Amino acid sequence: MSVNVPPNIHHVGEVTSTMDAARQMLTAANGAPFAVLAESQVKGRGTGERVWISPKGNMYFTLCISEKSIMPEIVPVLPLLTGLVCRAAIMSLINGANVHVKWPNDIIYAGKKIGGSLVESEGESLIIGIGMNVELAPPVTDSGRASTTVNEIAAALEQPKITPTQLAEFIWKHFFQMISDTTLTRKIVVTRFDAAMDKSLSLHRRTPTGRDPEELHAIGLNEWGHLIVSRPDGTEDTLMTDYLF
Ligand code: BTN
């Protein structure tokens, strides 16, 4: 399939957050898709208003696209689609890298976090932020999961280092390939994400003060992309809006 990939990735130095930088560029973009790739962020943010530590060396990337250019049934599963795109990017750039996803927005390798995404909106625009540890694994804070980097994976598999730009360009292109595919359905995204999840992970709900002690395990996704988990007593629960450690 030949896809018209917009060329406009803006490369910037240090910003507060690429989410803020992208918002400032929205008016000038006048509805056209664009992306911002920053060298570092001083106020990077993760899901649930958590800090995203953002030193030089990693990828800080925000894609902006009009909501109208995405099929309506795909919009609610955009975090899942973004995770699949990031996973595909790493697996294409590093032969043999067995990358997984963790619901709803994390990229995982060998049980460790490599990156995550954050979807926001502004008017009719979707603002999709992706942070990926390329060179540095920031310290794990507030009960978070241990992290690793794309280049640790490359080194372990004896392959050349990847740059944040290579990764961002691949993600940009593959994202457009996916959303331009008129045969893509929510069901396909959900099925692919389900197959790519690391179901061996111990999961804990995030609470305002830390993490809930109850240990959960992913069983699978329902048709809406909500996560079905098992509790220690064998009962099941369906998570719709939680973020998990
Ligand atoms: C998460 O909590 O896992 C999501 C992290 C998202 C971080 C990225 S880095 C680029 C963009 N700018 C931000 O301030 N946050 C997102």
Side-chain angles (χ1 to χ4, degrees):
M1 185 179 51
S2 155
V3 174
N4 189 12
V5 180
N8 36 347
I9 298 180
H10 300 279
H11 294 253
V12 296
E14 184 170 273
V15 292
T16 51
S17 157
T18 53
M19 306 303 272
D20 303 336
R23 274 196 168 78
Q24 283 158 14
M25 294 176 186
L26 273 177
T27 310
N30 199 20
F34 68 94
V36 184
L37 176 66
E39 272 183 3
S40 59
Q41 305 182 119
V42 289
K43 276 180 100 174
R45 55 181 190 270
T47 50
E49 300 303 317
R50 294 164 80 226
V51 172
W52 187 259
I53 301 169
S54 308
K56 211 167 164 174
N58 291 341
M59 189 196 78
Y60 312 107
F61 192 42
T62 290
L63 297 78
C64 279
I65 183 158
S66 156
E67 184 169 342
K68 280 187 249 158
S69 54
I70 301 191
M71 285 176 285
E73 70 167 302
I74 301 295
V75 175
V77 291
L78 209 46
L80 309 187
L81 182 142
T82 305
L84 290 173
V85 169
C86 292
R87 172 178 185 254
I90 301 170
M91 289 175 68
S92 298
L93 292 167
I94 307 174
N95 282 334
N98 192 12
V99 177
H100 289 97
V101 288
K102 172 175 151 279
W103 185 90
N105 69 319
D106 284 342
I107 316 301
I108 298 285
Y109 180 78
K112 296 180 181 172
K113 180 158 171 163
I114 321 171
S117 66
L118 178 66
V119 179
E120 298 178 348
S121 64
E122 182 78 47
E124 294 192 342
S125 299
L126 294 166
I127 304 179
I128 304 160
I130 304 170
M132 202 86 81
N133 300 338
V134 175
E135 199 55 49
L136 301 157
V140 180
T141 52
D142 63 2
S143 323
R145 179 171 294 279
S147 54
T148 185
T149 70
V150 171
N151 281 334
E152 267 174 25
I153 305 172
L157 296 172
E158 298 182 342
Q159 288 176 49
K161 283 189 175 209
I162 307 298
T163 65
T165 301
Q166 274 178 296
L167 196 56
E169 283 174 352
F170 192 102
I171 289 170
W172 183 238
K173 193 168 148 204
H174 192 52
F175 182 83
F176 275 92
Q177 280 168 342
M178 280 195 82
I179 63 166
S180 310
D181 179 355
T182 51
T183 66
L184 190 70
T185 60
R186 187 187 65 225
K187 188 171 180 197
I188 292 173
V189 173
V190 166
T191 305
R192 286 191 196 161
F193 194 93
D194 192 318
M197 281 197 297
D198 182 345
K199 294 180 181 154
S200 69
L201 298 177
S202 297
L203 305 173
H204 294 266
R205 281 189 182 86
R206 278 195 214 159
T207 67
T209 50
R211 68 181 206 177
D212 190 282
E214 186 177 54
E215 185 176 320
L216 306 170
H217 280 96
I219 296 175
L221 299 180
N222 69 15
E223 62 171 313
W224 302 103
H226 303 151
L227 181 69
I228 303 163
V229 290
S230 62
R231 297 198 192 90
D233 66 4
T235 59
E236 293 182 6
D237 200 358
T238 302
L239 309 184
M240 286 180 262
T241 56
D242 297 76
Y243 285 111
L244 302 166
F245 283 120

